[in-house]
PDB file of all heavy atoms in Angstrom:
ATOM      1  N   ALA A  91      10.307  -1.130   1.830  1.00  0.00           N
ATOM      2  CA  ALA A  91       9.915  -2.508   2.104  1.00  0.00           C
ATOM      3  C   ALA A  91      10.614  -3.489   1.101  1.00  0.00           C
ATOM      4  O   ALA A  91      10.990  -4.625   1.502  1.00  0.00           O
ATOM      5  CB  ALA A  91       8.398  -2.679   2.030  1.00  0.00           C
ATOM      6  N   LEU A  92      10.733  -3.083  -0.146  1.00  0.00           N
ATOM      7  CA  LEU A  92      11.409  -3.869  -1.144  1.00  0.00           C
ATOM      8  C   LEU A  92      12.865  -4.018  -0.767  1.00  0.00           C
ATOM      9  O   LEU A  92      13.487  -5.132  -0.905  1.00  0.00           O
ATOM     10  CB  LEU A  92      11.234  -3.352  -2.546  1.00  0.00           C
ATOM     11  CG  LEU A  92       9.833  -3.258  -3.098  1.00  0.00           C
ATOM     12  CD1 LEU A  92       9.752  -2.462  -4.411  1.00  0.00           C
ATOM     13  CD2 LEU A  92       9.273  -4.633  -3.227  1.00  0.00           C
ATOM     14  N   ASP A  93      13.528  -2.925  -0.353  1.00  0.00           N
ATOM     15  CA  ASP A  93      14.933  -3.028   0.041  1.00  0.00           C
ATOM     16  C   ASP A  93      15.087  -3.941   1.265  1.00  0.00           C
ATOM     17  O   ASP A  93      16.016  -4.745   1.357  1.00  0.00           O
ATOM     18  CB  ASP A  93      15.463  -1.626   0.334  1.00  0.00           C
ATOM     19  CG  ASP A  93      15.600  -0.736  -0.908  1.00  0.00           C
ATOM     20  OD1 ASP A  93      15.640  -1.361  -1.987  1.00  0.00           O
ATOM     21  OD2 ASP A  93      15.615   0.458  -0.709  1.00  0.00           O
ATOM     22  N   TYR A  94      14.160  -3.790   2.196  1.00  0.00           N
ATOM     23  CA  TYR A  94      14.132  -4.577   3.423  1.00  0.00           C
ATOM     24  C   TYR A  94      14.087  -6.093   3.069  1.00  0.00           C
ATOM     25  O   TYR A  94      14.821  -6.927   3.598  1.00  0.00           O
ATOM     26  CB  TYR A  94      13.038  -4.187   4.307  1.00  0.00           C
ATOM     27  CG  TYR A  94      13.073  -4.717   5.752  1.00  0.00           C
ATOM     28  CD1 TYR A  94      13.688  -4.041   6.784  1.00  0.00           C
ATOM     29  CD2 TYR A  94      12.562  -6.002   6.025  1.00  0.00           C
ATOM     30  CE1 TYR A  94      13.722  -4.532   8.062  1.00  0.00           C
ATOM     31  CE2 TYR A  94      12.559  -6.493   7.289  1.00  0.00           C
ATOM     32  CZ  TYR A  94      13.177  -5.776   8.354  1.00  0.00           C
ATOM     33  OH  TYR A  94      13.193  -6.245   9.612  1.00  0.00           O
ATOM     34  N   ALA A  95      13.167  -6.367   2.185  1.00  0.00           N
ATOM     35  CA  ALA A  95      12.944  -7.834   1.755  1.00  0.00           C
ATOM     36  C   ALA A  95      14.229  -8.413   1.164  1.00  0.00           C
ATOM     37  O   ALA A  95      14.600  -9.478   1.449  1.00  0.00           O
ATOM     38  CB  ALA A  95      11.767  -7.910   0.806  1.00  0.00           C
ATOM     39  N   ASP A  96      14.861  -7.567   0.232  1.00  0.00           N
ATOM     40  CA  ASP A  96      16.099  -8.053  -0.339  1.00  0.00           C
ATOM     41  C   ASP A  96      17.174  -8.279   0.661  1.00  0.00           C
ATOM     42  O   ASP A  96      17.915  -9.250   0.612  1.00  0.00           O
ATOM     43  CB  ASP A  96      16.575  -6.990  -1.409  1.00  0.00           C
ATOM     44  CG  ASP A  96      15.801  -7.032  -2.694  1.00  0.00           C
ATOM     45  OD1 ASP A  96      15.047  -8.062  -2.954  1.00  0.00           O
ATOM     46  OD2 ASP A  96      15.840  -6.079  -3.432  1.00  0.00           O
ATOM     47  N   LEU A  97      17.287  -7.331   1.589  1.00  0.00           N
ATOM     48  CA  LEU A  97      18.274  -7.450   2.669  1.00  0.00           C
ATOM     49  C   LEU A  97      18.117  -8.736   3.476  1.00  0.00           C
ATOM     50  O   LEU A  97      19.056  -9.462   3.677  1.00  0.00           O
ATOM     51  CB  LEU A  97      18.153  -6.262   3.571  1.00  0.00           C
ATOM     52  CG  LEU A  97      19.210  -5.998   4.642  1.00  0.00           C
ATOM     53  CD1 LEU A  97      20.471  -5.444   4.031  1.00  0.00           C
ATOM     54  CD2 LEU A  97      18.644  -5.002   5.669  1.00  0.00           C
ATOM     55  N   VAL A  98      16.900  -8.986   3.856  1.00  0.00           N
ATOM     56  CA  VAL A  98      16.665 -10.213   4.655  1.00  0.00           C
ATOM     57  C   VAL A  98      16.820 -11.483   3.889  1.00  0.00           C
ATOM     58  O   VAL A  98      17.405 -12.463   4.337  1.00  0.00           O
ATOM     59  CB  VAL A  98      15.254 -10.097   5.340  1.00  0.00           C
ATOM     60  CG1 VAL A  98      14.891 -11.364   6.042  1.00  0.00           C
ATOM     61  CG2 VAL A  98      15.185  -8.927   6.302  1.00  0.00           C
ATOM     62  N   TYR A  99      16.343 -11.450   2.622  1.00  0.00           N
ATOM     63  CA  TYR A  99      16.445 -12.635   1.761  1.00  0.00           C
ATOM     64  C   TYR A  99      17.895 -12.979   1.507  1.00  0.00           C
ATOM     65  O   TYR A  99      18.224 -14.210   1.410  1.00  0.00           O
ATOM     66  CB  TYR A  99      15.780 -12.304   0.471  1.00  0.00           C
ATOM     67  CG  TYR A  99      15.650 -13.476  -0.483  1.00  0.00           C
ATOM     68  CD1 TYR A  99      14.678 -14.493  -0.273  1.00  0.00           C
ATOM     69  CD2 TYR A  99      16.515 -13.697  -1.534  1.00  0.00           C
ATOM     70  CE1 TYR A  99      14.527 -15.610  -1.111  1.00  0.00           C
ATOM     71  CE2 TYR A  99      16.405 -14.783  -2.415  1.00  0.00           C
ATOM     72  CZ  TYR A  99      15.401 -15.736  -2.148  1.00  0.00           C
ATOM     73  OH  TYR A  99      15.316 -16.834  -2.968  1.00  0.00           O
ATOM     74  N   ALA A 100      18.762 -11.947   1.493  1.00  0.00           N
ATOM     75  CA  ALA A 100      20.165 -12.225   1.231  1.00  0.00           C
ATOM     76  C   ALA A 100      20.967 -12.604   2.526  1.00  0.00           C
ATOM     77  O   ALA A 100      22.124 -12.841   2.473  1.00  0.00           O
ATOM     78  CB  ALA A 100      20.822 -10.976   0.603  1.00  0.00           C
ATOM     79  N   GLY A 101      20.290 -12.637   3.683  1.00  0.00           N
ATOM     80  CA  GLY A 101      20.891 -13.126   4.908  1.00  0.00           C
ATOM     81  C   GLY A 101      21.529 -12.012   5.781  1.00  0.00           C
ATOM     82  O   GLY A 101      22.284 -12.363   6.694  1.00  0.00           O
ATOM     83  N   PHE A 102      21.212 -10.764   5.499  1.00  0.00           N
ATOM     84  CA  PHE A 102      21.832  -9.682   6.283  1.00  0.00           C
ATOM     85  C   PHE A 102      20.926  -9.205   7.410  1.00  0.00           C
ATOM     86  O   PHE A 102      20.635  -8.034   7.562  1.00  0.00           O
ATOM     87  CB  PHE A 102      22.129  -8.500   5.318  1.00  0.00           C
ATOM     88  CG  PHE A 102      23.226  -8.880   4.364  1.00  0.00           C
ATOM     89  CD1 PHE A 102      22.917  -9.134   2.996  1.00  0.00           C
ATOM     90  CD2 PHE A 102      24.542  -8.932   4.741  1.00  0.00           C
ATOM     91  CE1 PHE A 102      23.860  -9.470   2.129  1.00  0.00           C
ATOM     92  CE2 PHE A 102      25.511  -9.292   3.807  1.00  0.00           C
ATOM     93  CZ  PHE A 102      25.194  -9.560   2.501  1.00  0.00           C
TER      94      PHE A 102
END
Side-chain angles (χ1 to χ4, degrees):
L92 295 174
D93 292 338
Y94 190 95
D96 283 343
L97 188 76
V98 174
Y99 188 79
F102 294 104

